Amino acid sequence: METHLFTAILFATIVAATPLVIVALGELVTEKAGVLNLGAEGMMAVGAIAAFATAHHSGSPWLGMLAGIGAGVALSLLFGVLTLTFMANQVASGLALAIFGVGLSGFIGKPYESVALPTVPALPIPLLADLPLIGPALFQQQPLVYLSWALFALVSWFLYRSRAGLVLRALGESPSSAHAIGYPVIAIRYLATAFGGAMAGLGGAFLSVCYTPMWVEGMVAGRGWIALALVVFATWRPLRVMVGAYLFGGVMISQMFVQGSGLHIEVPTQLLSALPYLATVAVLVVISRNPKLIRLNSPISLGQPYRPDA
Amino acid sequence: MLLKLESRAEPSRAMRYASPLLAVVLTLLGGLLVFSALGKDPVEGFKVFFLNPVRDLDGIAELLLKATPLMLISVGLAVGFRASIWNIGAEGQFLVGALAGGGLALAFPDSQSPLLLPAMLVAGAAGGAAWAAIPAFLRTRFNANEILVSLMLVYVAQLLLSWLVHGPWMDPDGFNFPQTRQFQDSALLPALIEGTRLNAAFMVALGALLAGYVFMNRSFLGYKMRVAGEAGDAARYAGFSARATVWIGLLAGGAMAGVAGVSEVAGPVGQITEFVGSGYGFAAIIVAFVGRLHPVGILFASLLMSLLYIGGEQAQQYLNLPSSISKVFQGMLLFFLLASDVFINYRLRWTARRAVRPAAVPAAAQ
């Protein structure tokens, strides 16, 4: 019995953490290029409904996820035009994108509120899935869970082992130097922003197509913001993004297990549901109390507009 | 030929004021496109959305009623935004204010005292300010980002509200609906115009705009906050306290959002329900920007946003569109504003050839 519970908790934690991993890694790349896009919540919401609607009409969850990615990219390009071409304030534009995206998803999603999608089947990995305890939790997951691991490897490699990643990071630190040695700062920032948008859209798609195959207005429920907070906790490092996301996944599913454990704890369900948000605040406080840590690690040009020929 | 943005020698004052108008015009044009894309007659849609709501006294009263919380919240937020304190959690502060003020009405069910309503407004302001004090404290003491903290607290406030109306505060005679009992008459805001729902909170909101104007544009403290927002280093050099800026910026927003919360539960709603929020806290962020963080601008922007809300309800009723179309228009308005703001600092120029990149050093790139 004990072992079953452990496996179940691990499994659920990984599933709950996956959208956070995907979205936060995307935002990490965007921020490394010096662009602060606070619109993740809106891009996730629109990605979720675009994916859901597409999966519903086409019958293919994969087309749905592509649609989610496309929606996220489209919104992030809108953000890019505002902030990179028109040099609008990134904080204000990101907030606008968050508010707009959530509103737009509610508008598009109205007709889909009582529709259900078939569950996406799990993809067990041969041999590994048979391992005791961790096998079923780690290797009988949905394909997107494996994809999130691949994404982690890819982003880590790209940022720290590839030449393009070096350029991206340099540009986040000092766009004017990068420009002086001939790199197209704005174009690279557009690409980084679009990647962040794609991942936010995919994260949203995971929620509506894989996690709970249905659409409810407001279902993103702050995960976009939590992903943004994760990037701060992680002090802009991929490995810590991963660890942070799994810790959060654990907090998110803890309420299910407290309720289902028969422990008879007299706690209002709302208090348990508030835990992820309270945990976000708590961890932000712990990380931020050392301002040097934040200042030394955050990309120096983060949030500042850049104009090449000024 | 290439269209190119060119810096202006100094920011254009004319564009500063023209840009919100341009944004409104573009939003209206965008609205026409949206209606046609949805297969509705754009002219008909336009009429239903923008003209129907204001064709009689009742409609205008509703417009002012909906504008009231927006005016209150955004004037408070503007105080912080001017100092680059980004309080994004007004929605949560609104809810906690509604709980604090409404809780007072529930705690004294038999009170007929004329002091009950003022006390509720004060309690609402205190509740909202207390909720905003959390990010203020965490920001000043631990340097925690106020955007994320205030936002997380929105979800916590929603859950707090949900717990209260499903649990301890639920109306025992309410057929298990998640809502409190109806407030007694002495806890309801008096009507301003007989026969309409417009109530005294509108006057409170006008007072708040005036107070906001005096504070931001006529007081030394307001001036210091503006300097802190525009030139943080200069403000520090002049010895202005960054801590005080954070506290004032957040508390002003929280208190006003709290008053707005009371104006909802003691006004049109008349009780606390699970759905008392309706997104005013987020819409007020748009209002603050569209209103140029200036009380007069905020007055007009609130009326415009209120029109968009009511237009959305009309569109639902007459055009069979989801009422969330309001939010699409509201978002569009803010995007167009942010985009047209570029012309404050830049002008468009046709250039004959591509701009040459300055001083590229190809050797260094190898």
PDB file of all heavy atoms in Angstrom, chain B residues 150-184:
ATOM      1  N   SER B 150       1.643  40.314  -5.377  1.00  0.00           N
ATOM      2  CA  SER B 150       0.282  40.845  -5.330  1.00  0.00           C
ATOM      3  C   SER B 150      -0.632  39.980  -6.192  1.00  0.00           C
ATOM      4  O   SER B 150      -1.797  39.764  -5.861  1.00  0.00           O
ATOM      5  CB  SER B 150       0.248  42.313  -5.764  1.00  0.00           C
ATOM      6  OG  SER B 150       0.629  42.459  -7.114  1.00  0.00           O
ATOM      7  N   LEU B 151      -0.101  39.460  -7.284  1.00  0.00           N
ATOM      8  CA  LEU B 151      -0.925  38.620  -8.139  1.00  0.00           C
ATOM      9  C   LEU B 151      -1.292  37.291  -7.498  1.00  0.00           C
ATOM     10  O   LEU B 151      -2.420  36.809  -7.602  1.00  0.00           O
ATOM     11  CB  LEU B 151      -0.197  38.366  -9.443  1.00  0.00           C
ATOM     12  CG  LEU B 151      -1.282  38.054 -10.425  1.00  0.00           C
ATOM     13  CD1 LEU B 151      -1.394  39.137 -11.413  1.00  0.00           C
ATOM     14  CD2 LEU B 151      -1.124  36.742 -11.006  1.00  0.00           C
ATOM     15  N   MET B 152      -0.323  36.650  -6.832  1.00  0.00           N
ATOM     16  CA  MET B 152      -0.610  35.388  -6.159  1.00  0.00           C
ATOM     17  C   MET B 152      -1.720  35.586  -5.123  1.00  0.00           C
ATOM     18  O   MET B 152      -2.565  34.716  -4.915  1.00  0.00           O
ATOM     19  CB  MET B 152       0.643  34.866  -5.446  1.00  0.00           C
ATOM     20  CG  MET B 152       1.723  34.352  -6.388  1.00  0.00           C
ATOM     21  SD  MET B 152       1.148  32.935  -7.309  1.00  0.00           S
ATOM     22  CE  MET B 152       1.346  33.498  -8.973  1.00  0.00           C
ATOM     23  N   LEU B 153      -1.707  36.764  -4.479  1.00  0.00           N
ATOM     24  CA  LEU B 153      -2.695  37.018  -3.437  1.00  0.00           C
ATOM     25  C   LEU B 153      -4.107  37.191  -4.008  1.00  0.00           C
ATOM     26  O   LEU B 153      -5.085  37.099  -3.279  1.00  0.00           O
ATOM     27  CB  LEU B 153      -2.285  38.240  -2.612  1.00  0.00           C
ATOM     28  CG  LEU B 153      -1.044  38.012  -1.742  1.00  0.00           C
ATOM     29  CD1 LEU B 153      -0.635  39.287  -1.035  1.00  0.00           C
ATOM     30  CD2 LEU B 153      -1.299  36.913  -0.717  1.00  0.00           C
ATOM     31  N   VAL B 154      -4.214  37.440  -5.312  1.00  0.00           N
ATOM     32  CA  VAL B 154      -5.545  37.478  -5.927  1.00  0.00           C
ATOM     33  C   VAL B 154      -6.195  36.104  -5.807  1.00  0.00           C
ATOM     34  O   VAL B 154      -7.356  35.982  -5.399  1.00  0.00           O
ATOM     35  CB  VAL B 154      -5.466  37.874  -7.419  1.00  0.00           C
ATOM     36  CG1 VAL B 154      -6.829  37.726  -8.082  1.00  0.00           C
ATOM     37  CG2 VAL B 154      -4.943  39.282  -7.576  1.00  0.00           C
ATOM     38  N   TYR B 155      -5.412  35.075  -6.129  1.00  0.00           N
ATOM     39  CA  TYR B 155      -5.967  33.719  -6.070  1.00  0.00           C
ATOM     40  C   TYR B 155      -6.297  33.350  -4.629  1.00  0.00           C
ATOM     41  O   TYR B 155      -7.313  32.705  -4.350  1.00  0.00           O
ATOM     42  CB  TYR B 155      -4.988  32.719  -6.692  1.00  0.00           C
ATOM     43  CG  TYR B 155      -4.759  32.999  -8.158  1.00  0.00           C
ATOM     44  CD1 TYR B 155      -3.665  33.740  -8.592  1.00  0.00           C
ATOM     45  CD2 TYR B 155      -5.674  32.575  -9.109  1.00  0.00           C
ATOM     46  CE1 TYR B 155      -3.473  34.033  -9.920  1.00  0.00           C
ATOM     47  CE2 TYR B 155      -5.497  32.854 -10.447  1.00  0.00           C
ATOM     48  CZ  TYR B 155      -4.385  33.587 -10.850  1.00  0.00           C
ATOM     49  OH  TYR B 155      -4.213  33.875 -12.170  1.00  0.00           O
ATOM     50  N   VAL B 156      -5.436  33.770  -3.695  1.00  0.00           N
ATOM     51  CA  VAL B 156      -5.693  33.470  -2.284  1.00  0.00           C
ATOM     52  C   VAL B 156      -6.977  34.181  -1.829  1.00  0.00           C
ATOM     53  O   VAL B 156      -7.813  33.585  -1.141  1.00  0.00           O
ATOM     54  CB  VAL B 156      -4.490  33.881  -1.415  1.00  0.00           C
ATOM     55  CG1 VAL B 156      -4.786  33.625   0.049  1.00  0.00           C
ATOM     56  CG2 VAL B 156      -3.242  33.117  -1.840  1.00  0.00           C
ATOM     57  N   ALA B 157      -7.154  35.436  -2.244  1.00  0.00           N
ATOM     58  CA  ALA B 157      -8.357  36.173  -1.851  1.00  0.00           C
ATOM     59  C   ALA B 157      -9.601  35.513  -2.425  1.00  0.00           C
ATOM     60  O   ALA B 157     -10.634  35.418  -1.749  1.00  0.00           O
ATOM     61  CB  ALA B 157      -8.266  37.631  -2.329  1.00  0.00           C
ATOM     62  N   GLN B 158      -9.505  35.022  -3.658  1.00  0.00           N
ATOM     63  CA  GLN B 158     -10.662  34.357  -4.253  1.00  0.00           C
ATOM     64  C   GLN B 158     -11.034  33.112  -3.459  1.00  0.00           C
ATOM     65  O   GLN B 158     -12.209  32.824  -3.237  1.00  0.00           O
ATOM     66  CB  GLN B 158     -10.359  33.964  -5.714  1.00  0.00           C
ATOM     67  CG  GLN B 158     -10.538  35.141  -6.655  1.00  0.00           C
ATOM     68  CD  GLN B 158      -9.932  34.900  -8.028  1.00  0.00           C
ATOM     69  OE1 GLN B 158      -9.222  33.913  -8.240  1.00  0.00           O
ATOM     70  NE2 GLN B 158     -10.192  35.799  -8.954  1.00  0.00           N
ATOM     71  N   LEU B 159     -10.008  32.387  -2.997  1.00  0.00           N
ATOM     72  CA  LEU B 159     -10.269  31.175  -2.230  1.00  0.00           C
ATOM     73  C   LEU B 159     -10.822  31.522  -0.844  1.00  0.00           C
ATOM     74  O   LEU B 159     -11.681  30.819  -0.319  1.00  0.00           O
ATOM     75  CB  LEU B 159      -8.998  30.330  -2.138  1.00  0.00           C
ATOM     76  CG  LEU B 159      -8.609  29.708  -3.478  1.00  0.00           C
ATOM     77  CD1 LEU B 159      -7.152  29.290  -3.510  1.00  0.00           C
ATOM     78  CD2 LEU B 159      -9.503  28.512  -3.790  1.00  0.00           C
ATOM     79  N   LEU B 160     -10.324  32.624  -0.266  1.00  0.00           N
ATOM     80  CA  LEU B 160     -10.838  33.083   1.028  1.00  0.00           C
ATOM     81  C   LEU B 160     -12.329  33.420   0.908  1.00  0.00           C
ATOM     82  O   LEU B 160     -13.161  33.003   1.732  1.00  0.00           O
ATOM     83  CB  LEU B 160     -10.041  34.315   1.474  1.00  0.00           C
ATOM     84  CG  LEU B 160     -10.453  34.991   2.783  1.00  0.00           C
ATOM     85  CD1 LEU B 160     -10.108  34.093   3.957  1.00  0.00           C
ATOM     86  CD2 LEU B 160      -9.755  36.337   2.943  1.00  0.00           C
ATOM     87  N   LEU B 161     -12.657  34.160  -0.153  1.00  0.00           N
ATOM     88  CA  LEU B 161     -14.057  34.508  -0.408  1.00  0.00           C
ATOM     89  C   LEU B 161     -14.893  33.242  -0.580  1.00  0.00           C
ATOM     90  O   LEU B 161     -15.967  33.100   0.011  1.00  0.00           O
ATOM     91  CB  LEU B 161     -14.128  35.374  -1.669  1.00  0.00           C
ATOM     92  CG  LEU B 161     -15.517  35.599  -2.263  1.00  0.00           C
ATOM     93  CD1 LEU B 161     -16.326  36.542  -1.394  1.00  0.00           C
ATOM     94  CD2 LEU B 161     -15.422  36.163  -3.675  1.00  0.00           C
ATOM     95  N   SER B 162     -14.360  32.320  -1.370  1.00  0.00           N
ATOM     96  CA  SER B 162     -15.095  31.090  -1.647  1.00  0.00           C
ATOM     97  C   SER B 162     -15.345  30.306  -0.354  1.00  0.00           C
ATOM     98  O   SER B 162     -16.441  29.799  -0.109  1.00  0.00           O
ATOM     99  CB  SER B 162     -14.305  30.264  -2.653  1.00  0.00           C
ATOM    100  OG  SER B 162     -14.670  28.926  -2.603  1.00  0.00           O
ATOM    101  N   TRP B 163     -14.315  30.258   0.503  1.00  0.00           N
ATOM    102  CA  TRP B 163     -14.470  29.536   1.770  1.00  0.00           C
ATOM    103  C   TRP B 163     -15.554  30.189   2.632  1.00  0.00           C
ATOM    104  O   TRP B 163     -16.422  29.510   3.184  1.00  0.00           O
ATOM    105  CB  TRP B 163     -13.124  29.517   2.511  1.00  0.00           C
ATOM    106  CG  TRP B 163     -13.216  28.975   3.896  1.00  0.00           C
ATOM    107  CD1 TRP B 163     -13.584  27.707   4.256  1.00  0.00           C
ATOM    108  CD2 TRP B 163     -12.965  29.686   5.113  1.00  0.00           C
ATOM    109  NE1 TRP B 163     -13.560  27.589   5.623  1.00  0.00           N
ATOM    110  CE2 TRP B 163     -13.186  28.777   6.175  1.00  0.00           C
ATOM    111  CE3 TRP B 163     -12.554  30.991   5.408  1.00  0.00           C
ATOM    112  CZ2 TRP B 163     -13.025  29.142   7.506  1.00  0.00           C
ATOM    113  CZ3 TRP B 163     -12.386  31.354   6.734  1.00  0.00           C
ATOM    114  CH2 TRP B 163     -12.624  30.435   7.768  1.00  0.00           C
ATOM    115  N   LEU B 164     -15.526  31.523   2.730  1.00  0.00           N
ATOM    116  CA  LEU B 164     -16.486  32.212   3.591  1.00  0.00           C
ATOM    117  C   LEU B 164     -17.926  32.029   3.098  1.00  0.00           C
ATOM    118  O   LEU B 164     -18.824  31.753   3.881  1.00  0.00           O
ATOM    119  CB  LEU B 164     -16.141  33.703   3.675  1.00  0.00           C
ATOM    120  CG  LEU B 164     -14.941  34.026   4.562  1.00  0.00           C
ATOM    121  CD1 LEU B 164     -14.534  35.482   4.418  1.00  0.00           C
ATOM    122  CD2 LEU B 164     -15.253  33.709   6.022  1.00  0.00           C
ATOM    123  N   VAL B 165     -18.144  32.179   1.783  1.00  0.00           N
ATOM    124  CA  VAL B 165     -19.527  32.113   1.314  1.00  0.00           C
ATOM    125  C   VAL B 165     -20.035  30.676   1.185  1.00  0.00           C
ATOM    126  O   VAL B 165     -21.240  30.445   1.160  1.00  0.00           O
ATOM    127  CB  VAL B 165     -19.745  32.869  -0.026  1.00  0.00           C
ATOM    128  CG1 VAL B 165     -19.470  34.357   0.157  1.00  0.00           C
ATOM    129  CG2 VAL B 165     -18.903  32.283  -1.127  1.00  0.00           C
ATOM    130  N   HIS B 166     -19.105  29.715   1.143  1.00  0.00           N
ATOM    131  CA  HIS B 166     -19.549  28.314   1.188  1.00  0.00           C
ATOM    132  C   HIS B 166     -19.660  27.824   2.614  1.00  0.00           C
ATOM    133  O   HIS B 166     -20.269  26.806   2.885  1.00  0.00           O
ATOM    134  CB  HIS B 166     -18.562  27.398   0.451  1.00  0.00           C
ATOM    135  CG  HIS B 166     -18.750  27.384  -1.030  1.00  0.00           C
ATOM    136  ND1 HIS B 166     -17.924  28.062  -1.888  1.00  0.00           N
ATOM    137  CD2 HIS B 166     -19.675  26.796  -1.806  1.00  0.00           C
ATOM    138  CE1 HIS B 166     -18.336  27.881  -3.122  1.00  0.00           C
ATOM    139  NE2 HIS B 166     -19.395  27.122  -3.102  1.00  0.00           N
ATOM    140  N   GLY B 167     -18.987  28.533   3.537  1.00  0.00           N
ATOM    141  CA  GLY B 167     -18.902  28.041   4.907  1.00  0.00           C
ATOM    142  C   GLY B 167     -19.528  28.984   5.905  1.00  0.00           C
ATOM    143  O   GLY B 167     -20.752  29.179   5.913  1.00  0.00           O
ATOM    144  N   PRO B 168     -18.694  29.604   6.730  1.00  0.00           N
ATOM    145  CA  PRO B 168     -19.197  30.335   7.883  1.00  0.00           C
ATOM    146  C   PRO B 168     -20.192  31.449   7.555  1.00  0.00           C
ATOM    147  O   PRO B 168     -21.059  31.742   8.368  1.00  0.00           O
ATOM    148  CB  PRO B 168     -17.938  30.951   8.507  1.00  0.00           C
ATOM    149  CG  PRO B 168     -16.790  30.352   7.839  1.00  0.00           C
ATOM    150  CD  PRO B 168     -17.242  29.639   6.615  1.00  0.00           C
ATOM    151  N   TRP B 169     -20.043  32.074   6.403  1.00  0.00           N
ATOM    152  CA  TRP B 169     -20.912  33.220   6.121  1.00  0.00           C
ATOM    153  C   TRP B 169     -22.100  32.862   5.230  1.00  0.00           C
ATOM    154  O   TRP B 169     -22.849  33.719   4.811  1.00  0.00           O
ATOM    155  CB  TRP B 169     -20.104  34.357   5.447  1.00  0.00           C
ATOM    156  CG  TRP B 169     -19.160  35.038   6.383  1.00  0.00           C
ATOM    157  CD1 TRP B 169     -18.818  34.639   7.658  1.00  0.00           C
ATOM    158  CD2 TRP B 169     -18.425  36.236   6.149  1.00  0.00           C
ATOM    159  NE1 TRP B 169     -17.920  35.493   8.199  1.00  0.00           N
ATOM    160  CE2 TRP B 169     -17.648  36.503   7.294  1.00  0.00           C
ATOM    161  CE3 TRP B 169     -18.327  37.113   5.070  1.00  0.00           C
ATOM    162  CZ2 TRP B 169     -16.790  37.600   7.402  1.00  0.00           C
ATOM    163  CZ3 TRP B 169     -17.478  38.207   5.165  1.00  0.00           C
ATOM    164  CH2 TRP B 169     -16.719  38.451   6.330  1.00  0.00           C
ATOM    165  N   MET B 170     -22.280  31.608   4.934  1.00  0.00           N
ATOM    166  CA  MET B 170     -23.334  31.253   3.993  1.00  0.00           C
ATOM    167  C   MET B 170     -24.711  31.547   4.590  1.00  0.00           C
ATOM    168  O   MET B 170     -24.955  31.305   5.774  1.00  0.00           O
ATOM    169  CB  MET B 170     -23.233  29.774   3.628  1.00  0.00           C
ATOM    170  CG  MET B 170     -24.189  29.366   2.531  1.00  0.00           C
ATOM    171  SD  MET B 170     -24.318  27.594   2.410  1.00  0.00           S
ATOM    172  CE  MET B 170     -23.331  27.306   0.967  1.00  0.00           C
ATOM    173  N   ASP B 171     -25.582  32.062   3.767  1.00  0.00           N
ATOM    174  CA  ASP B 171     -26.937  32.363   4.204  1.00  0.00           C
ATOM    175  C   ASP B 171     -27.680  31.056   4.494  1.00  0.00           C
ATOM    176  O   ASP B 171     -27.872  30.245   3.583  1.00  0.00           O
ATOM    177  CB  ASP B 171     -27.653  33.136   3.082  1.00  0.00           C
ATOM    178  CG  ASP B 171     -29.074  33.507   3.471  1.00  0.00           C
ATOM    179  OD1 ASP B 171     -29.461  33.228   4.629  1.00  0.00           O
ATOM    180  OD2 ASP B 171     -29.774  34.068   2.614  1.00  0.00           O
ATOM    181  N   PRO B 172     -28.118  30.838   5.773  1.00  0.00           N
ATOM    182  CA  PRO B 172     -28.784  29.571   6.085  1.00  0.00           C
ATOM    183  C   PRO B 172     -30.108  29.427   5.335  1.00  0.00           C
ATOM    184  O   PRO B 172     -30.571  28.314   5.112  1.00  0.00           O
ATOM    185  CB  PRO B 172     -29.002  29.645   7.600  1.00  0.00           C
ATOM    186  CG  PRO B 172     -28.770  31.067   7.988  1.00  0.00           C
ATOM    187  CD  PRO B 172     -27.929  31.699   6.924  1.00  0.00           C
ATOM    188  N   ASP B 173     -30.705  30.550   4.924  1.00  0.00           N
ATOM    189  CA  ASP B 173     -31.967  30.465   4.193  1.00  0.00           C
ATOM    190  C   ASP B 173     -31.748  30.640   2.693  1.00  0.00           C
ATOM    191  O   ASP B 173     -32.664  31.019   1.969  1.00  0.00           O
ATOM    192  CB  ASP B 173     -32.931  31.562   4.691  1.00  0.00           C
ATOM    193  CG  ASP B 173     -33.104  31.492   6.187  1.00  0.00           C
ATOM    194  OD1 ASP B 173     -33.191  30.352   6.701  1.00  0.00           O
ATOM    195  OD2 ASP B 173     -33.128  32.560   6.836  1.00  0.00           O
ATOM    196  N   GLY B 174     -30.527  30.424   2.251  1.00  0.00           N
ATOM    197  CA  GLY B 174     -30.205  30.758   0.859  1.00  0.00           C
ATOM    198  C   GLY B 174     -30.226  29.571  -0.073  1.00  0.00           C
ATOM    199  O   GLY B 174     -29.630  29.618  -1.147  1.00  0.00           O
ATOM    200  N   PHE B 175     -30.904  28.471   0.306  1.00  0.00           N
ATOM    201  CA  PHE B 175     -30.989  27.281  -0.552  1.00  0.00           C
ATOM    202  C   PHE B 175     -29.623  26.790  -0.986  1.00  0.00           C
ATOM    203  O   PHE B 175     -29.438  26.346  -2.113  1.00  0.00           O
ATOM    204  CB  PHE B 175     -31.857  27.556  -1.791  1.00  0.00           C
ATOM    205  CG  PHE B 175     -33.200  28.095  -1.447  1.00  0.00           C
ATOM    206  CD1 PHE B 175     -33.471  29.446  -1.543  1.00  0.00           C
ATOM    207  CD2 PHE B 175     -34.204  27.246  -0.998  1.00  0.00           C
ATOM    208  CE1 PHE B 175     -34.713  29.951  -1.205  1.00  0.00           C
ATOM    209  CE2 PHE B 175     -35.450  27.752  -0.660  1.00  0.00           C
ATOM    210  CZ  PHE B 175     -35.703  29.099  -0.760  1.00  0.00           C
ATOM    211  N   ASN B 176     -28.649  26.930  -0.062  1.00  0.00           N
ATOM    212  CA  ASN B 176     -27.296  26.431  -0.341  1.00  0.00           C
ATOM    213  C   ASN B 176     -26.555  27.141  -1.464  1.00  0.00           C
ATOM    214  O   ASN B 176     -25.574  26.633  -1.985  1.00  0.00           O
ATOM    215  CB  ASN B 176     -27.331  24.929  -0.637  1.00  0.00           C
ATOM    216  CG  ASN B 176     -26.701  24.166   0.505  1.00  0.00           C
ATOM    217  OD1 ASN B 176     -26.008  24.756   1.347  1.00  0.00           O
ATOM    218  ND2 ASN B 176     -26.907  22.864   0.541  1.00  0.00           N
ATOM    219  N   PHE B 177     -27.039  28.307  -1.883  1.00  0.00           N
ATOM    220  CA  PHE B 177     -26.259  29.081  -2.835  1.00  0.00           C
ATOM    221  C   PHE B 177     -25.030  29.652  -2.134  1.00  0.00           C
ATOM    222  O   PHE B 177     -25.119  30.038  -0.970  1.00  0.00           O
ATOM    223  CB  PHE B 177     -27.090  30.242  -3.417  1.00  0.00           C
ATOM    224  CG  PHE B 177     -27.978  29.821  -4.531  1.00  0.00           C
ATOM    225  CD1 PHE B 177     -29.362  29.795  -4.356  1.00  0.00           C
ATOM    226  CD2 PHE B 177     -27.436  29.437  -5.743  1.00  0.00           C
ATOM    227  CE1 PHE B 177     -30.180  29.387  -5.388  1.00  0.00           C
ATOM    228  CE2 PHE B 177     -28.260  29.038  -6.775  1.00  0.00           C
ATOM    229  CZ  PHE B 177     -29.636  29.004  -6.595  1.00  0.00           C
ATOM    230  N   PRO B 178     -23.874  29.711  -2.818  1.00  0.00           N
ATOM    231  CA  PRO B 178     -22.685  30.262  -2.169  1.00  0.00           C
ATOM    232  C   PRO B 178     -22.780  31.780  -2.060  1.00  0.00           C
ATOM    233  O   PRO B 178     -22.154  32.502  -2.823  1.00  0.00           O
ATOM    234  CB  PRO B 178     -21.540  29.829  -3.086  1.00  0.00           C
ATOM    235  CG  PRO B 178     -22.179  29.629  -4.415  1.00  0.00           C
ATOM    236  CD  PRO B 178     -23.589  29.228  -4.172  1.00  0.00           C
ATOM    237  N   GLN B 179     -23.565  32.258  -1.114  1.00  0.00           N
ATOM    238  CA  GLN B 179     -23.703  33.700  -0.928  1.00  0.00           C
ATOM    239  C   GLN B 179     -24.163  33.971   0.498  1.00  0.00           C
ATOM    240  O   GLN B 179     -24.704  33.093   1.162  1.00  0.00           O
ATOM    241  CB  GLN B 179     -24.710  34.269  -1.924  1.00  0.00           C
ATOM    242  CG  GLN B 179     -26.091  33.645  -1.818  1.00  0.00           C
ATOM    243  CD  GLN B 179     -26.948  33.969  -3.012  1.00  0.00           C
ATOM    244  OE1 GLN B 179     -26.457  34.120  -4.131  1.00  0.00           O
ATOM    245  NE2 GLN B 179     -28.244  34.088  -2.796  1.00  0.00           N
ATOM    246  N   THR B 180     -23.922  35.203   0.948  1.00  0.00           N
ATOM    247  CA  THR B 180     -24.375  35.575   2.285  1.00  0.00           C
ATOM    248  C   THR B 180     -25.830  36.027   2.211  1.00  0.00           C
ATOM    249  O   THR B 180     -26.401  36.145   1.130  1.00  0.00           O
ATOM    250  CB  THR B 180     -23.554  36.747   2.834  1.00  0.00           C
ATOM    251  OG1 THR B 180     -23.836  37.903   2.038  1.00  0.00           O
ATOM    252  CG2 THR B 180     -22.060  36.454   2.759  1.00  0.00           C
ATOM    253  N   ARG B 181     -26.395  36.338   3.394  1.00  0.00           N
ATOM    254  CA  ARG B 181     -27.760  36.895   3.372  1.00  0.00           C
ATOM    255  C   ARG B 181     -27.708  38.297   2.754  1.00  0.00           C
ATOM    256  O   ARG B 181     -26.637  38.890   2.646  1.00  0.00           O
ATOM    257  CB  ARG B 181     -28.312  36.944   4.794  1.00  0.00           C
ATOM    258  CG  ARG B 181     -27.580  37.910   5.698  1.00  0.00           C
ATOM    259  CD  ARG B 181     -28.350  38.188   6.980  1.00  0.00           C
ATOM    260  NE  ARG B 181     -27.583  39.104   7.817  1.00  0.00           N
ATOM    261  CZ  ARG B 181     -27.525  40.412   7.632  1.00  0.00           C
ATOM    262  NH1 ARG B 181     -28.169  40.978   6.620  1.00  0.00           N
ATOM    263  NH2 ARG B 181     -26.789  41.181   8.426  1.00  0.00           N
ATOM    264  N   GLN B 182     -28.877  38.776   2.373  1.00  0.00           N
ATOM    265  CA  GLN B 182     -28.965  40.146   1.839  1.00  0.00           C
ATOM    266  C   GLN B 182     -28.669  41.147   2.955  1.00  0.00           C
ATOM    267  O   GLN B 182     -29.072  40.930   4.088  1.00  0.00           O
ATOM    268  CB  GLN B 182     -30.392  40.394   1.336  1.00  0.00           C
ATOM    269  CG  GLN B 182     -30.843  39.446   0.252  1.00  0.00           C
ATOM    270  CD  GLN B 182     -30.631  40.035  -1.123  1.00  0.00           C
ATOM    271  OE1 GLN B 182     -30.525  41.242  -1.275  1.00  0.00           O
ATOM    272  NE2 GLN B 182     -30.559  39.183  -2.127  1.00  0.00           N
ATOM    273  N   PHE B 183     -27.972  42.206   2.607  1.00  0.00           N
ATOM    274  CA  PHE B 183     -27.695  43.229   3.616  1.00  0.00           C
ATOM    275  C   PHE B 183     -28.981  43.975   3.987  1.00  0.00           C
ATOM    276  O   PHE B 183     -29.870  44.151   3.150  1.00  0.00           O
ATOM    277  CB  PHE B 183     -26.681  44.250   3.094  1.00  0.00           C
ATOM    278  CG  PHE B 183     -25.304  43.687   2.871  1.00  0.00           C
ATOM    279  CD1 PHE B 183     -24.338  44.435   2.229  1.00  0.00           C
ATOM    280  CD2 PHE B 183     -24.966  42.410   3.316  1.00  0.00           C
ATOM    281  CE1 PHE B 183     -23.065  43.932   2.009  1.00  0.00           C
ATOM    282  CE2 PHE B 183     -23.695  41.903   3.109  1.00  0.00           C
ATOM    283  CZ  PHE B 183     -22.747  42.658   2.443  1.00  0.00           C
ATOM    284  N   GLN B 184     -29.023  44.448   5.257  1.00  0.00           N
ATOM    285  CA  GLN B 184     -30.164  45.278   5.674  1.00  0.00           C
ATOM    286  C   GLN B 184     -30.086  46.630   4.960  1.00  0.00           C
ATOM    287  O   GLN B 184     -29.012  47.016   4.494  1.00  0.00           O
ATOM    288  CB  GLN B 184     -30.174  45.448   7.197  1.00  0.00           C
ATOM    289  CG  GLN B 184     -28.988  46.230   7.779  1.00  0.00           C
ATOM    290  CD  GLN B 184     -27.803  45.345   8.152  1.00  0.00           C
ATOM    291  OE1 GLN B 184     -27.531  44.341   7.501  1.00  0.00           O
ATOM    292  NE2 GLN B 184     -27.099  45.728   9.211  1.00  0.00           N
TER     293      GLN B 184
END
